[in-house]
Amino acid sequence: MKSKRRANRVHEDSVYYGAASAGVVVMEGRRLDEAEQYMRSLRAKAVKVSKALTDAGVPHAVIGGMAVLAHALRAGQGFERMTRDLDILIKRTDLERVAQALQPLDFRYRQIMGIPAFVPPQKPDQKKSRFQEGVHIVWAGERVRPADPVPAPTLDSRPVVLAPDGYVCLDVENLLRMKLTSFRLKDQVHVQDLLQIGLITKKIEAALPADLRKRLEHVKEETKREGLG
């Protein structure tokens, strides 16, 4: 029995050593399960929050990585890129209505490091902020940062679609504009995802402002260079 355990340990060590030598990160199956469970809970939260706002008649749209995921699923793509947050676009004038709609879900409005969000109340024995567990808000029609080339989309024309899970999310054209405006590394990766799925059409490209078209061209060039396209 001892020799069998020793053989298994030698095999595991050799697998880890080989992966390390090849520059590969070996992730425990438990970690992958936790990531999958987290994404399931995030999707469930998006459905619950979006339904509460829809029932209250509040215009809104899920944005960010969850919106990219929704469009990937709608396009029949099986990939599910990990994302940490639930971001939602609402009108600033609807803040009070949103607060009332989300109160039964135990979310309370706060500003954390200048970011507007609805977060669960802090538990007495909990030291870590529950910011990530909340709903992060972007104001429709306003610039997220003063230097942004364009403001966030408005919701007046309701440019939204229904995700397969049932939550309301921003359409591809406006989602692309937001990603190209923010243009962090993760935003560029999300743009790559939309390109690979084939959702960024010539019509959508032509409608972009010139400075955002340049950013899109940069992502396309990088995608081609990396051999992803």
Side-chain angles (χ1 to χ4, degrees):
M1 187 70 176
K2 288 183 178 179
S3 60
K4 185 176 180 181
R5 284 201 300 267
R6 183 176 181 279
N8 288 339
R9 178 61 183 273
V10 169
H11 173 70
E12 289 173 4
D13 288 347
S14 66
V15 169
Y16 276 79
Y17 174 77
S21 300
V24 177
V25 176
V26 178
M27 183 176 289
E28 299 176 33
R30 176 174 58 87
R31 297 296 183 191
L32 294 174
D33 290 340
E34 288 174 358
E36 184 178 346
Q37 183 178 356
Y38 181 80
M39 285 303 298
R40 282 200 301 268
S41 68
L42 197 59
R43 289 167 70 173
K45 181 166 65 175
V47 172
K48 187 166 56 175
V49 169
S50 184
K51 183 179 185 305
L53 296 177
T54 298
D55 290 347
V58 179
H60 69 282
V62 171
I63 54 178
M66 291 299 291
V68 175
L69 170 63
H71 288 295
L73 294 175
R74 281 172 56 87
Q77 301 296 313
F79 80 89
E80 183 170 321
R81 189 178 298 283
M82 182 72 180
T83 187
R84 296 177 58 191
D85 307 318
L86 176 60
D87 303 313
I88 291 190
L89 186 72
I90 64 168
K91 298 178 184 179
R92 189 185 289 271
T93 53
D94 283 333
L95 178 58
E96 185 58 37
R97 296 172 65 201
V98 174
Q100 292 176 3
L102 298 187
Q103 187 173 358
L105 303 181
D106 212 18
F107 288 113
R108 301 293 183 270
Y109 181 72
R110 291 181 62 190
Q111 281 211 17
I112 301 175
M113 295 180 292
I115 301 174
F118 284 87
V119 296
Q122 199 79 4
K123 297 177 182 177
D125 59 342
Q126 192 174 31
K127 296 181 180 179
K128 188 177 179 182
S129 169
R130 303 189 71 182
F131 177 70
Q132 188 179 324
E133 301 174 43
V135 181
H136 306 160
I137 300 300
V138 171
W139 304 119
E142 300 183 21
R143 283 175 168 78
V144 177
R145 296 168 297 190
D148 284 349
V150 296
T154 66
L155 288 168
D156 295 330
S157 57
R158 300 188 66 82
V160 295
V161 295
L162 194 64
D165 286 336
Y167 57 86
V168 175
C169 69
L170 202 61
D171 67 305
V172 172
E173 180 176 344
N174 284 286
L175 178 61
L176 175 63
R177 285 178 177 241
M178 294 195 74
K179 288 295 174 184
L180 292 173
T181 298
S182 185
F183 214 55
R184 298 159 300 181
L185 182 57
K186 68 177 181 179
D187 297 305
Q188 295 177 48
V189 172
H190 284 148
V191 173
Q192 284 184 326
D193 290 340
L194 295 174
L195 282 167
Q196 289 180 267
I197 299 168
L199 294 180
I200 303 178
T201 64
K202 295 294 183 183
K203 183 179 179 181
I204 287 176
E205 286 190 41
L208 290 172
D211 46 0
L212 296 190
R213 278 203 304 273
K214 288 180 181 178
R215 293 183 177 186
L216 178 60
E217 285 304 315
H218 171 77
V219 175
K220 290 167 76 171
E221 288 171 6
E222 286 297 302
T223 302
K224 185 177 180 180
R225 185 181 63 81
E226 294 168 4
L228 300 176

